[in-house]
Amino acid sequence: MSDVLLKVSDVSVTIPTEQGTVHAVDDATFSINKREVFSLIGESGSGKSILGQAIMRLLPPNAMFSGKVELEGMEISALSEKEMQKVRGKTVASIAQNPYLAMNPGIRVGTQVAEPMQAHLGISKEDAKSRTCRALKYFDIIPPEVREREYPFQYSGGMLQRAMVAMGTAADPELIIADEPTKGVDVLKKRNIAAIFQKVASDGCAFLLITHDVGFARAMSDRIAVNYCGQIIEIAEKEPFFKEPLHPYSQALLGAVPERGMHPIPGPSPSMIEVPEGCRFHPRCPHKTDRCLTNPPVVEINGRFVRCWMYA
Amino acid sequence: MLKADNLHYVYTSGLIKIVKKTAVCGVDIEFCPGETVAIVGESGCGKSTLAKMLVQQLVPVSGEVFFNGMKLTGMSWKNRRKFMGKIQLIPQNPADVVDPRWTVERSVAEPFVICGVFSKEEISANVDALFAEVGLSVEHKTRYPHELSGGELQRVVIARALALKPELLVCDEATSMLDVSVQAFIVMMLKEIQIKRDLSLVFITHDLEAAKAVSDRVLVMYAGEIVEEGTDVFDRPLHPYTRALLDAARYMSLEVVVPEEIGELPDGFSGCPYYRLCRERTDACKKPQKLRDVSGRLVRCWKSK
């Protein structure tokens, strides 16, 4: 099948710190198909965002990367920074969590939205301007001719979020990486974000949603990957995942959601520096056996991937 | 136990052109001992302002707050201080309320020190008991706020709030920054403490599912007013706004359009604040709406039966 858009194989990221080496991403392998919405869910500090940054090649300078990231068959993890700049924003774009922090407060919104087009499509300033207006209008920022000349602080939060999506989609990327788009926003805003994302997804753009909001992931995505302590422990289609999560951590995570009774996961979250040996969830797992002290294999069951001895 | 009558709050800003913005207008609430009440609503509807007035951090522009029959508003600061330990606020971001240069032990001990009636040994015994109560180990005591995770720090703040044996805890979005598993842990812990200490809890949240899971009674706020109040609001919403809110929570029902910007109503408009966005509006909605009792439910909409 040639409709694989992004292929991540054996990606590991470690970050040396004063306290020790942080194993932020360990052996991440997954692929995203064209036009697919893929969610990566997990707790804060489980290395989700670092994985997103690793794909965009925007890791902190001291981070050590190993593995392979392929985008449309091209190995972007081996590109030089200069070549990577041509990919970033063009084929893969990212949408940050907080629009007020992600936009430059001193530059007009229209100029910022036009930037990826001018950088990647090689079009003239006038062309870029009219396309920007069209893009803003598409995301209900009206009147676009007035709004594009305004600065970020003149926008409301929701509008700026839409402008940021307009900026992300400006050069027609194939994949958008959205990092925690719904953190700390109320239901109505969340619904609006879901609506604009769905609008973009229906135009044929694939999404990698990085979120800890299980409900949002459920509403949006086609496939779900669960991240725990730097490892992807389960990848599954949405429906079967929510019907019957396989990995004990996925079960515990879904059990903690208010709709399912809010059962907390026992035990503390593991340290990312001294990771537990073997299965990383075993100290908190209700089904643990002696086998769990050795690294569990990734098992494939009906197209789902689980990293657990129970299914080996 | 705690009762608020006709609370109003107006924020003023600007030096030359003074802008007034009504945050809370005419809220009556009563809390019973041992009860869990959830206050839900979108951002900016006045939930937090209301919470701050309940815990006496803000002085209401008009209206009164009573605690066990004592009128707190208008009381002198010295007298009011005696009651302050009984009503405690747990904020959204725990890092905002602990001193980053103090160990968390010192932060938790602070209320006892301020009281001035405890000896050093009593304070340290009390602090140990509080740490055990919120499930933190002894080794956490000597750490600084930045060395703890969000969930642990939130537990420190809860421990401090419990120090002076409060009767009412107001949790202002206390869990909305946390992950689901940590959120579940904190909420369950609060519920346990509630039963053990016979506390009243007020959960202020925009997470409707969490509100539904924990509360005995739900109040829905919109534009500074309570638009609906009852025990089974989520199963049978009566006010059009509550219905829109619940539809929004179900994401997928995209045909229901809820514009996010509230927009200003014309000056002097005294009708239903939801008038501009309501799909079922009629001319009768331009008149001021009163909270009406509809078979045990309070609803601020003349239509609901």
Side-chain angles (χ1 to χ4, degrees):
Chain A
M1 292 255 278
S2 63
D3 60 350
V4 174
L5 177 67
L6 180 82
K7 197 165 164 221
V8 176
S9 2
D10 309 320
V11 166
S12 298
V13 179
T14 54
I15 303 168
T17 62
E18 276 175 29
Q19 284 85 37
T21 307
V22 176
H23 302 270
V25 180
D26 187 59
D27 188 23
T29 303
F30 62 90
S31 59
I32 299 178
N33 296 331
K34 281 185 179 155
R35 312 175 69 97
E36 184 182 44
V37 180
F38 186 88
S39 288
L40 185 61
I41 60 176
E43 291 170 69
S44 331
S46 64
K48 310 183 298 283
S49 298
I50 292 284
L51 183 53
Q53 289 168 12
I55 294 168
M56 290 291 282
R57 299 262 311 269
L58 291 171
L59 286 170
N62 59 344
M64 316 283 218
F65 173 91
S66 72
K68 213 160 107 177
V69 181
E70 282 171 87
L71 188 69
E72 292 183 310
M74 177 171 56
E75 193 179 336
I76 55 172
S77 49
L79 293 181
S80 70
E81 179 54 33
K82 213 170 174 184
E83 289 167 318
M84 188 60 207
Q85 277 180 8
K86 289 182 191 152
V87 176
R88 219 181 273 141
K90 172 93 173 70
T91 333
V92 49
S94 76
I95 294 174
Q97 179 187 337
N98 184 339
Y100 285 102
L101 292 179
M103 299 285 254
N104 186 330
I107 298 178
R108 293 179 205 277
V109 173
T111 317
Q112 298 191 54
V113 174
E115 206 183 333
M117 301 185 213
Q118 285 179 297
H120 296 295
L121 305 181
I123 53 178
S124 70
K125 230 176 173 178
E126 288 70 40
D127 250 7
K129 196 173 168 182
S130 69
R131 285 181 70 151
T132 302
C133 288
R134 233 180 305 148
L136 290 179
K137 200 169 169 205
Y138 185 70
F139 289 106
D140 286 327
I141 299 170
I142 28 190
E145 294 78 18
V146 180
R147 284 298 189 173
E148 69 108 9
R149 292 194 58 75
E150 288 185 347
Y151 289 92
F153 72 89
Q154 291 168 297
Y155 277 52
S156 76
M159 259 160 66
L160 202 58
Q161 181 106 30
R162 295 202 294 270
M164 209 164 56
V165 177
M167 179 165 70
T169 53
D172 287 325
E174 298 283 329
L175 174 70
I176 290 182
I177 300 179
D179 193 356
E180 297 280 14
T182 60
K183 198 170 189 175
V185 302
D186 69 27
V187 269
L188 298 180
K189 294 217 181 76
K190 216 186 264 182
R191 229 289 314 274
N192 282 326
I193 295 171
I196 51 172
F197 278 17
Q198 278 170 350
K199 197 170 177 180
V200 176
S202 66
D203 292 345
C205 186
F207 269 92
L208 170 59
L209 289 181
I210 299 172
T211 180
H212 65 230
D213 188 333
V214 178
F216 185 72
R218 181 175 197 169
M220 295 294 301
S221 44
D222 303 318
R223 274 196 306 152
I224 302 237
V226 185
N227 205 24
Y228 180 74
C229 193
Q231 280 182 334
I232 292 179
I233 50 134
E234 181 163 357
I235 302 177
E237 300 270 330
K238 174 174 74 175
E239 292 302 329
F241 176 78
F242 280 101
K243 219 169 124 207
E244 194 201 355
L246 292 180
H247 196 282
Y249 174 69
S250 315
Q251 292 164 1
L253 186 70
L254 292 187
V257 175
E259 293 94 314
R260 304 194 182 194
M262 289 187 120
H263 304 293
I265 304 175
S269 307
S271 151
M272 298 286 277
I273 295 169
E274 290 158 30
V275 287
E277 237 174 79
C279 171
R280 295 188 174 182
F281 188 58
H282 86 263
R284 304 166 82 182
C285 182
H287 310 289
K288 68 165 173 260
T289 58
D290 289 343
R291 282 191 301 182
C292 300
L293 285 169
T294 47
N295 267 329
V298 179
V299 190
E300 187 179 348
I301 307 165
N302 306 331
R304 303 169 66 169
F305 295 91
V306 195
R307 195 188 284 265
C308 182
W309 277 112
M310 280 195 340
Y311 306 96
Chain B
M1 189 185 61
L2 189 80
K3 189 163 167 277
D5 267 346
N6 203 15
L7 285 180
H8 283 80
Y9 197 83
V10 182
Y11 286 102
T12 45
S13 61
L15 287 171
I16 298 153
K17 188 182 166 214
I18 291 172
V19 183
K20 289 196 173 178
K21 194 162 187 321
T22 309
V24 173
C25 96
V27 169
D28 302 300
I29 308 187
E30 206 175 333
F31 300 108
C32 308
E35 188 186 29
T36 310
V37 181
I39 302 177
V40 299
E42 63 196 63
S43 315
C45 72
K47 304 188 298 277
S48 297
T49 310
L50 178 64
K52 283 180 184 160
M53 285 195 287
L54 291 177
V55 300
Q56 307 294 307
Q57 278 188 3
L58 286 177
V59 181
V61 170
S62 72
E64 281 141 11
V65 180
F66 297 92
F67 181 70
N68 287 341
M70 295 286 288
K71 190 170 150 192
L72 292 181
T73 36
M75 197 184 257
S76 75
W77 169 242
K78 225 175 169 179
N79 287 333
R80 201 166 62 200
R81 243 180 104 159
K82 291 178 208 151
F83 298 98
M84 302 289 271
K86 300 292 171 204
I87 317 163
Q88 289 284 346
L89 179 77
I90 295 170
Q92 174 170 6
N93 188 355
D96 288 347
V97 293
V98 286
D99 192 319
R101 297 174 305 168
W102 286 9
T103 60
V104 292
E105 183 184 15
R106 191 173 164 195
S107 284
V108 175
E110 194 187 10
F112 298 112
V113 177
I114 292 173
C115 262
V117 294
F118 295 94
S119 69
K120 258 193 176 155
E121 291 74 38
E122 279 175 324
I123 291 177
S124 102
N126 279 334
V127 170
D128 285 351
L130 285 171
F131 267 81
E133 192 169 353
V134 295
L136 291 172
S137 62
V138 189
E139 66 199 58
H140 288 111
K141 277 191 350 186
T142 51
R143 299 214 195 149
Y144 288 89
H146 70 267
E147 294 173 320
L148 296 176
S149 70
E152 286 166 340
L153 200 56
Q154 192 62 277
R155 280 187 264 173
V156 168
V157 173
I158 292 170
R160 188 168 70 162
L162 291 173
L164 297 177
K165 302 200 166 45
E167 292 176 31
L168 178 76
L169 276 185
V170 182
C171 309
D172 186 2
E173 304 272 17
T175 57
S176 64
M177 298 284 274
L178 304 171
D179 292 316
V180 274
S181 61
V182 185
Q183 178 187 17
F185 181 87
I186 298 274
V187 168
M188 287 303 143
M189 191 187 78
L190 281 171
K191 292 288 270 185
E192 259 171 47
I193 292 171
Q194 173 183 33
I195 293 165
K196 213 162 58 189
R197 295 192 172 216
D198 197 22
L199 288 171
S200 303
L201 282 178
V202 181
F203 277 103
I204 293 179
T205 180
H206 55 237
D207 186 343
L208 301 178
E209 287 296 339
K212 189 177 171 182
V214 297
S215 59
D216 305 325
R217 187 153 62 101
V218 176
L219 286 92
V220 184
M221 275 186 85
Y222 181 74
E225 288 182 347
I226 289 173
V227 293
E228 189 161 358
E229 174 182 350
T231 48
D232 56 345
V233 168
F234 292 130
D235 301 325
R236 198 168 53 93
L238 293 180
H239 197 280
Y241 175 68
T242 317
R243 284 205 290 270
L245 201 64
L246 285 170
D247 283 339
R250 290 190 206 108
Y251 300 120
M252 287 320 238
S253 52
L254 286 172
E255 67 279 7
V256 195
V257 176
V258 189
E260 78 191 44
E261 277 104 61
I262 296 177
E264 294 300 308
L265 289 164
D267 276 345
F269 183 83
S270 58
C272 175
Y274 193 52
Y275 175 78
R276 220 173 60 83
L277 303 179
C278 187
R279 306 188 123 205
E280 301 156 33
R281 66 182 170 207
T282 57
D283 278 348
C285 298
K286 287 179 182 167
K287 294 197 192 88
Q289 303 289 317
K290 286 207 173 67
L291 267 183
R292 293 185 312 125
D293 195 323
V294 183
S295 53
R297 177 86 62 81
L298 292 174
V299 190
R300 199 183 287 274
C301 181
W302 64 273
K303 278 184 165 177
S304 36
K305 297 189 248 322

